[in-house]
């Protein structure tokens, strides 16, 4: 069996200085509403363990980096990335330094502001943003640090290829621009070799000095067709076994994983579960002792999602493990046979080798990936009913401006009498789309015309209107309104996918149920986000807020929403919870009038812009620099605490330690 031949080895790339960033665009200074709870609120993209195996670091589409205690998945720290509406700030790649103290994060980072990608370097102990590596030609799709901790490999999107930097000096050691598509994954072997996969279909292996030692296309084509290389499948993850004896890579558009010899790079076998419902096997991970290979991918079925385990260093039999109904996004095998995995729920879980669930962290919000016709909306948009579970169960009702103790409740028949589902059949505008996370591979048509979307932007939901020639669409990171000629009227960024959308019968509101557990109302004529609502999965807690920050909530609901405020892209942003400003921002009357025509009169002149309120009332920035137990006289240990406090709004006059 052949992977398609080995390309000629070319000379190591000449080190070139990275291009200077283009003139910066304006970074938003407006407070951005975000849900606030100790879990990710959108798909987890990557997880990595610190070298001491005490902590797990995760990044997600909610534009946060989080640090968890590995033993029980208790949250230790949340770090917010500089970000803006839409995709800006969404991390896709992650690498932890060899000492476990720092982390590099990249993704769709810097693109909206500089037209260039950038990588953030954070201190995991304090959460401080230490450095920004700038000037990359596209988004940062993959990161890896060599086993000796000296080099950082960077995989880019859209063709610019691969870069390798010296971590200590920041010097560019080598690069390879000969990529036809995005780099999907990079990984170092114990001997310094570097492997990469790409959407152009080629696997590439580089020596520790940067020489391209191996390039092969998968799947292989007949010899006469190999004149032009790298026109194969969309490849997925690639990883060397910890001992370097094996190399495995996955495929995004085929249910196959290829196992290779780590030294000779000769193919050993192709793993295929022979299940027609298994659409891909994108992702691979090795156990720490190199004895077991784990693989998973997209599974087209409503039942449990399989995760496969292969013993004998990847050459053994294929064992299926049914873990649950979710899409796995990353795996982290542990030394004792346990496995930590991340999902698009989003959740983290630790399972034992026998499949027992040992620890799990799941967000407290509703899962709005239910059938589209289960959503219900009143004609004026002020009352809504929707399931809290993807299977359509736990139907809940919420009425804006109703008695706070009754506004959020289990929906009964009377609540649903005059509520209608989103309109698709019979609407003025017809939409044809393949929905879901792989929808970007297919064209979306509106009124028979192709809709212009971003290269990897998938549509998750859509709705039309009975009399207006308009359709609303929910995508990975936005909600947009289009006319029957497929022209965009407006597009507004979101922190998570818009799983459901509807247009109110009176034509005034586009309503989106978002993956972070929020429901948001946008004015049809302008796209302005007018109202947001978070419904807790416990069926009791809720918080609703207007664009001006004034909110109404259940007694405990205001702890679940806050605002991110950027401080430039060289500092970590601030994050403020609504509960910190209760005396000023809790204004139920204003929220009750949010969707009314006369809201301006109700609002009056006594309100203060949200940015001004946060600036004037913000608490100090407090950072714990170090906490350590010290020996003391008498045998009793003493906790020594070093911290810094920085005034933001009002001055710091007193410090208390609890």
């Amino acid at each position: 069996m052949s992977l398609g031949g080995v390309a000629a080895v070319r000379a190591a790339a000449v080190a070139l200085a990275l291009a200077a960033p283009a003139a910066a665009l304006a970074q938003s200074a407006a407070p951005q509403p975000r849900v606030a709870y100790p879990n990710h609120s959108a798909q987890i993209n990557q997880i990595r363990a610190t070298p001491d195996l005490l902590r797990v670091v995760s990044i997600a589409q909610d534009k946060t980096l989080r640090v968890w205690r590995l033993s029980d998945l208790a949250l230790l720290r949340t770090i917010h990335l500089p970000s803006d509406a839409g995709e800006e700030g969404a991390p896709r790649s992650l690498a932890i330094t060899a000492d476990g103290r720092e982390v590099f994060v990249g993704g769709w980072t810097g693109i909206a502001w500089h037209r260039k990608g950038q990588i953030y370097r954070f201190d995991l102990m304090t959460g401080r943003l230490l450095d920004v590596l700038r000037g990359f030609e596209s988004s940062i799709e993959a990161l890896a640090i060599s086993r000796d901790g000296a080099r950082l490999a960077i995989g880019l999107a859209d063709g610019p290829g691969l870069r390798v930097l010296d971590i200590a000096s920041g010097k560019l050691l080598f690069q390879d621009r000969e990529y036809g598509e995005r780099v999907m994954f990079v990984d170092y072997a114990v001997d310094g070799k570097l492997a990469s996969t790409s959407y152009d279909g080629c696997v590439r292996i580089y020596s520790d000095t940067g020489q391209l030692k191996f390039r092969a296309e998968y799947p292989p084509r007949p010899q006469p067709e190999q004149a032009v290389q790298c026109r194969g499948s969309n490849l997925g993850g690639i990883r060397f076994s910890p001992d370097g004896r094996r190399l495995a890579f996955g495929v995004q558009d085929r249910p196959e994983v290829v196992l290779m010899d780590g030294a000779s790079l000769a193919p050993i076998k192709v793993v295929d579960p022979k299940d027609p419902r298994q659409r891909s096997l994108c992702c691979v991970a090795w156990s720490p002792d190199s004895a077991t290979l784990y693989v998973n991918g997209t599974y087209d079925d409503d039942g449990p999602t399989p995760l496969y385990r292969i013993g004998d260093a990847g050459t053994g039999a294929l064992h299926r493990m049914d873990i649950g109904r979710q899409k796995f996004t990353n795996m982290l095998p542990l030394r004792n046979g346990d496995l930590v995995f991340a999902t698009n729920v989003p959740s983290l879980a630790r399972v034992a080798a026998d499949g027992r669930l040992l620890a799990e962290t799941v967000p407290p919000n509703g899962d709005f990936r239910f059938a589209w016709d289960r959503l219900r909306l009143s004609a004026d948009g002020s009352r809504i009913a929707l399931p809290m579970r993807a299977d359509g169960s736990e139907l809940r009702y919420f009425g804006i401006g109703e008695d706070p103790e009754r506004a959020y409740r289990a929906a009964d028949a009377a609540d649903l009498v005059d509520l209608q589902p989103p309109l698709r059949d019979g609407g003025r505008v017809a939409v044809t789309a393949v929905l879901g996370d792989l929808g970007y591979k297919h064209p979306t048509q509106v009124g028979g015309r192709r809709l212009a979307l971003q290269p990897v932007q998938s549509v998750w939901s859509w709705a039309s209107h009975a009399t207006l020639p308009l359709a609303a669409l929910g995508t990975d990171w936005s909600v947009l309104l289009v006319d029957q000629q497929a022209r965009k009227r407006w597009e507004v960024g979101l922190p998570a996918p818009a799983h459901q959308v509807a247009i109110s019968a009176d034509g005034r509101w586009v309503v989106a149920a978002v993956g972070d557990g929020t429901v948001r109302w946008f004015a049809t004529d302008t796209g302005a986000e007018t109202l947001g609502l978070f419904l807790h999965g416990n069926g009791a807690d809720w918080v609703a807020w207007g664009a001006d920050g004034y909110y109404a909530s259940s007694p405990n609901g205001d702890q679940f929403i806050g605002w991110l405020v950027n401080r430039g892209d060289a500092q970590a942003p601030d994050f403020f919870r609504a509960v910190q400003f209760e005396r000023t921002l809790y204004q139920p009357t204003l929220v009750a009038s949010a969707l009314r025509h006369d809201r301006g009169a109700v609002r009056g002149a006594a309100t203060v812009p949200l940015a001004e309120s946060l600036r004037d009332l913000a608490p100090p920035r407090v950072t714990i620099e170090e906490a350590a137990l010290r020996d003391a006289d008498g045998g009793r240990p003493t906790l020594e605490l070093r911290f810094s406090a920085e005034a933001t709004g009002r001055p710091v006059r007193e410090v208390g330690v609890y």
Side-chain angles (χ1 to χ4, degrees):
M1 179 176 64
S2 170
L3 291 179
V6 181
V9 177
R10 66 179 181 86
V14 177
L16 299 175
L18 294 173
L25 303 178
Q27 185 188 60
S28 173
Q32 303 172 45
R34 303 281 177 85
V35 292
Y37 44 70
N39 305 88
H40 282 297
S41 61
Q43 174 175 303
I44 300 172
N45 289 333
Q46 296 286 343
I47 57 173
R48 298 287 186 273
T50 54
D52 58 12
L53 295 181
L54 294 179
R55 294 166 293 163
V56 175
V57 180
S58 61
I59 54 172
Q61 285 295 114
D62 62 6
K63 306 175 185 179
T64 68
L65 178 152
R66 299 182 189 236
V67 184
W68 315 80
R69 190 166 55 208
L70 192 147
S71 59
D72 58 359
L73 300 183
L75 182 65
L76 303 178
R77 178 175 296 281
T78 298
I79 299 173
H80 294 270
L81 273 63
S83 57
D84 246 319
E87 188 75 341
E88 177 57 52
R92 299 177 184 172
S93 50
L94 168 71
I96 300 175
T97 55
D99 61 8
R101 297 183 62 87
E102 298 175 5
V103 64
F104 291 90
V105 181
W108 194 267
T109 43
I111 305 293
W113 303 322
H114 306 296
R115 309 296 188 198
K116 297 281 186 179
Q118 56 196 37
I119 299 171
Y120 300 118
R121 183 175 183 172
F122 287 98
D123 184 307
L124 286 179
M125 179 63 70
T126 65
R128 281 199 179 92
L129 178 53
L130 301 175
D131 194 14
V132 183
L133 310 182
R134 303 180 184 274
F136 299 95
E137 295 93 323
S138 66
S139 60
I140 315 299
E141 297 297 307
L143 291 171
I145 292 176
S146 58
R147 302 291 180 91
D148 61 6
R151 287 161 289 161
L152 175 68
I154 303 163
L156 303 175
D158 306 325
L162 178 76
R163 309 281 186 274
V164 174
L165 304 182
D166 177 75
I167 290 179
S169 67
K171 178 184 176 182
L172 179 62
L173 299 177
F174 71 88
Q175 61 183 333
D176 184 354
R177 293 181 176 272
E178 301 300 319
Y179 281 74
E181 249 286 4
R182 66 183 52 222
V183 178
M184 282 305 298
F185 209 89
V186 289
D187 189 53
Y188 276 102
V190 67
D191 63 0
K193 289 197 300 289
L194 174 64
S196 74
T197 50
S198 170
Y199 256 33
D200 67 12
C202 270
V203 174
R204 295 166 173 86
I205 312 294
Y206 304 85
S207 71
D208 57 357
T209 59
Q211 289 182 311
L212 180 62
K213 299 177 66 67
F214 178 93
R215 184 179 68 192
E217 182 181 276
Y218 190 83
R221 291 177 292 163
Q223 193 68 32
E225 298 180 17
Q226 293 182 7
V228 179
Q229 280 256 321
C230 301
R231 292 186 177 179
S233 287
N234 296 156
L235 300 185
I238 188 167
R239 290 186 188 272
F240 287 98
S241 59
D243 62 11
R245 296 180 59 243
R246 296 285 186 266
L247 175 65
F249 68 86
V251 186
Q252 295 275 8
D253 52 12
R254 303 164 70 98
E256 297 174 353
V257 164
V258 178
L259 181 68
M260 303 169 62
D261 184 275
S264 69
L265 303 179
I268 297 175
K269 66 181 290 189
V270 175
V271 177
D272 183 349
K274 305 299 183 183
D275 184 341
R277 295 166 295 181
Q278 191 73 56
R279 305 301 297 275
S280 75
L281 282 177
C282 62
C283 308
V284 299
W286 291 94
S287 61
D289 62 2
S290 302
T292 305
L293 175 65
Y294 295 86
V295 301
N296 73 75
T298 301
Y299 194 70
D300 191 12
D301 190 83
D302 290 335
T305 303
L307 186 151
Y308 301 98
R309 183 177 63 218
I310 311 167
D312 297 327
T315 64
L318 190 71
H319 296 281
R320 172 172 170 158
M321 305 166 62
D322 289 334
I323 302 297
R325 292 181 55 194
Q326 67 274 302
K327 177 185 175 183
F328 301 107
T329 58
N330 220 209
M331 300 173 290
L332 183 62
L334 304 178
R335 288 175 181 155
N336 59 355
D338 289 2
L339 184 72
V340 175
F341 62 86
T343 78
N344 65 341
V345 169
S347 64
L348 278 176
R350 178 171 178 166
V351 297
D354 59 7
R356 288 180 298 110
L357 182 65
L358 302 177
E360 186 177 28
T361 171
V362 179
N365 50 268
D367 186 342
F368 297 153
R369 294 173 296 171
F370 48 76
W372 65 272
D373 56 358
R374 294 286 287 159
L375 177 68
R376 295 288 190 276
L377 190 67
S378 65
D380 65 355
S382 67
R383 293 175 293 126
I384 190 170
L386 70 175
M388 297 298 284
R389 295 289 172 260
D391 62 6
S393 63
E394 298 187 23
L395 190 66
R396 297 285 188 265
Y397 168 91
F398 187 85
I400 298 167
E402 295 187 10
D403 180 351
E405 295 186 1
R406 287 273 301 155
Y408 179 34
R409 58 183 184 265
D412 58 25
D415 293 325
L416 305 178
V417 168
D418 59 348
L419 304 188
Q420 298 297 321
L423 184 63
R424 290 192 177 178
D425 296 335
R428 283 286 304 277
V429 179
V431 175
T432 303
V434 174
L435 305 181
D437 56 1
L438 297 179
Y440 68 89
K441 293 178 174 289
H442 308 274
T444 295
Q445 293 190 326
V446 178
R449 295 177 172 85
R450 184 163 184 162
L451 177 64
L453 294 170
Q454 297 298 318
V456 293
Q457 187 176 15
S458 293
V459 174
W460 285 86
S461 57
W462 68 273
S464 187
H465 194 270
T467 58
L468 299 175
L470 300 171
L473 290 87
T475 78
D476 291 300
W477 57 77
S478 69
V479 60
L480 55 102
L481 190 72
V482 298
D483 62 22
Q484 56 192 347
Q485 282 77 42
R487 294 175 301 202
K488 293 181 186 179
R489 294 289 185 89
W490 48 259
E491 183 171 10
V492 179
L494 294 171
H499 291 306
Q500 308 294 339
V501 291
I503 304 177
S504 62
D506 67 4
R508 294 184 63 221
W509 306 107
V510 172
V511 182
V514 185
D516 63 355
T518 64
V519 182
R520 304 189 184 218
W521 282 254
F522 304 88
T524 305
D525 54 352
T526 65
E529 184 175 334
T530 303
L531 184 70
L533 170 68
F534 174 75
L535 301 175
H536 197 288
N538 62 15
D541 289 319
W542 62 272
V543 55
W545 64 95
D548 51 15
Y550 294 100
Y551 71 88
S553 72
S554 62
N556 296 315
D558 52 1
Q559 64 181 302
F560 297 109
I561 190 66
W563 295 274
L564 179 140
V565 181
N566 283 316
R567 297 194 291 149
D569 65 354
Q571 299 184 84
D574 286 325
F575 186 79
F576 305 113
R577 291 174 179 261
V579 68
Q580 296 174 288
F581 308 96
E582 177 184 3
R583 295 183 181 181
T584 301
L585 297 181
Y586 182 74
Q587 299 284 351
T589 302
L590 292 178
V591 175
S593 66
L595 305 184
R596 286 165 39 183
H597 290 279
D598 62 348
R599 198 206 182 212
V602 176
R603 189 175 189 273
T607 56
V608 177
L610 177 59
E612 186 175 330
S613 293
L614 297 182
R615 183 177 63 249
D616 293 344
L617 302 175
R621 298 185 191 99
V622 178
T623 302
I624 296 178
E625 308 287 350
E626 183 183 12
L629 286 173
R630 309 293 188 193
D631 292 333
D633 294 339
R636 293 190 61 185
T638 299
L639 176 66
E640 185 176 289
L641 188 68
R642 289 198 310 115
F643 66 91
S644 61
E646 177 187 359
T648 52
R650 294 168 290 184
V652 177
R653 293 194 173 93
E654 184 178 338
V655 173
V657 179
Y658 298 89

